[in-house]
Amino acid sequence: MAVDAAREEKALREVTNRLVEDYGEAHPAERVEAVVGAVRKRFEGHSVREFVPILVERIARRELDPTRSMNAATEVDLTKAAVGEEGSPDGHPAETTSVFAAVAGRFVPARLVENKRALGVVAAGVVVVLGFAVIMAVRQTDSPSGTTAAPALTTVHGVAGSEKSAFFDDPKVADALAKHGFKVEVEPAGSRQIATSVDLSKYDFAFPSSSAAAELVQRKSGVTGKYVPFSSPMAIATFKPIADLLTQAGIVQPGATTTFDVEKYLSLAEKGVQWNQLEGNSTYSVPKNVLVSTTDPRTSNSAAMYLAVTAYVANDNTIVRGAKAEDFAVSRVSRLFTRQGFTESSSDGPFKDYLSNGMGTVPMAWIYEAQYVDAAVHNQLKPDMVLTYPKPTVMSQHTVVPLDDKGDQIGKLLTTDPDLQRLAAEHGFRPTDVSLFTNATAAHQLPVDVNLVNQVSPPDYDTLEHLLDGVAKSYN
């Protein structure tokens, strides 16, 4: 039995390697391994193991490429690979072989039935294979050629904020969508780009990271429907030495969750204070302005949310309304952007710099809370990394705008499917059921502020556009 188990394990490893080689361009290795593992589980507990690698490979190939049908020559090759050509004891009645062939012919290649090893399978094996036949007949539909094929998945194309790339790239998310018959392909783009310059005619849905960007997409596309499957507050990722310096400056307040006083920060930044001018600074004494790193507000939603928060604070902690208030707010906050130098078009870039390059490059990064939580869940954080919540902050509503019926179905699934909601929480987002988020963060002992009382509402769409236009002019 141990030899048989070892032979089966070896054959399944070879199956997995072949599938990774054949489908490497279409699926990551992790996806292939997950499919092989899931198919293999269907045969657990059965005593006849001789044909399991063959059946696993056939079914896995159909799931990885639903349009594929397996011809007789391929079946012979699979038989050679999984069973081999070596013989087994002769002397078994011919009628046993005949019955076995009749029962197993649909699932086991004829070459295998004729093989001498197959003649060694007793009547109990026939019963097991017949059981397999019943199970597979129920699960799969016959194709015209006599083979079975899983139903083809409907491909849906979307464009989404880059902070959601890890979510859509997750094989578990792909599996959850496949259960409903969909394969979702998403291209990343800055949310402001999605709303202003992306050709939406190529997509079934748009998935920007704020209600304001979604509103512009709706206006441009002439659609009214939308879904908000999850949200994420804006936060600031920094490092303990930086947090300690800003605590001395009165900007950061440690506690159960660390907070960042935007008003005190704005006052310091307006004066052009540099890090080496902070009192008692012996850990980050560099001649650089004390600034939070953001993306480009002309293309990225996260920077637009930073503008919404700082403009609110600059306007005496009131919502900006009217041309006079807009001009005043822009005059105070535009330098928070223009003094940064080069800024990237989407939030994925600066956060990756934060994770990989340390505080020398990005001492403070304006991010979505979800990015930090996702990195923590996937063990990408270093011990001295710190998450702080700005006072006030703003909630980013990740909004699906369906551009056709397929996009509408994806919006509904992302909002209502329990598996997709749970997976969103595992990637750091706050789904409609917030308990999923608290469970995910508690499991990794992450100090997050679930309530976030001190929030501001973003300005209305037109006001935010005027503020963005004002900042854009400041670059010139």
Side-chain angles (χ1 to χ4, degrees), residues 58 62 68-78 109 145 147:
R58 292 186 65 179
R62 293 187 189 111
R68 181 184 185 280
S69 62
M70 194 174 295
N71 58 36
T74 305
E75 291 182 345
V76 171
D77 291 340
L78 293 182
S145 63
T147 61

Side-chain angles (χ1 to χ4, degrees), residues 159-161 189-198 200 206-208 217 220 299:
V159 57
S191 293
R192 296 290 307 163
Q193 286 177 308
I194 295 172
T196 58
S197 61
V198 168
L200 296 176
F207 200 174
V217 171
K220 288 179 59 178
T299 58

Side-chain angles (χ1 to χ4, degrees), residues 113 123 135 138 178 241 259-260 298 314 405 420 424 453 471:
V113 176
I135 294 171
V138 171
T259 60
F260 183 99
R298 296 166 291 185
D405 289 341
L420 290 169
V453 176
V471 172

Side-chain angles (χ1 to χ4, degrees), residues 8-9 49 59-60 78 103 135 156 160 198 200 236 240 247 284 306 319 367 387 390 418 452 454 460 476:
E8 180 181 311
E9 289 294 333
R49 311 299 304 177
I59 299 168
L78 293 182
V103 173
I135 294 171
V156 185
V198 168
L200 296 176
I236 298 171
K240 190 175 186 307
T247 298
Y284 190 68
Y306 180 65
I319 294 175
I367 63 167
L387 180 68
L452 281 176
N454 196 349
D460 61 46
N476 299 324

Side-chain angles (χ1 to χ4, degrees), residues 380-402:
Q380 296 175 330
L381 297 182
K382 297 179 178 64
D384 65 340
M385 291 180 170
V386 177
L387 180 68
T388 71
Y389 289 95
K391 293 193 312 181
T393 189
V394 63
M395 189 68 72
S396 183
Q397 304 288 345
H398 296 264
T399 306
V400 176
V401 179

Side-chain angles (χ1 to χ4, degrees), residues 156-159 187 198-205 403-404:
V156 185
H157 298 279
V159 57
E187 294 183 20
V198 168
D199 179 7
L200 296 176
S201 65
K202 300 188 299 182
Y203 303 103
D204 301 300
F205 68 92
L403 304 174
D404 57 27

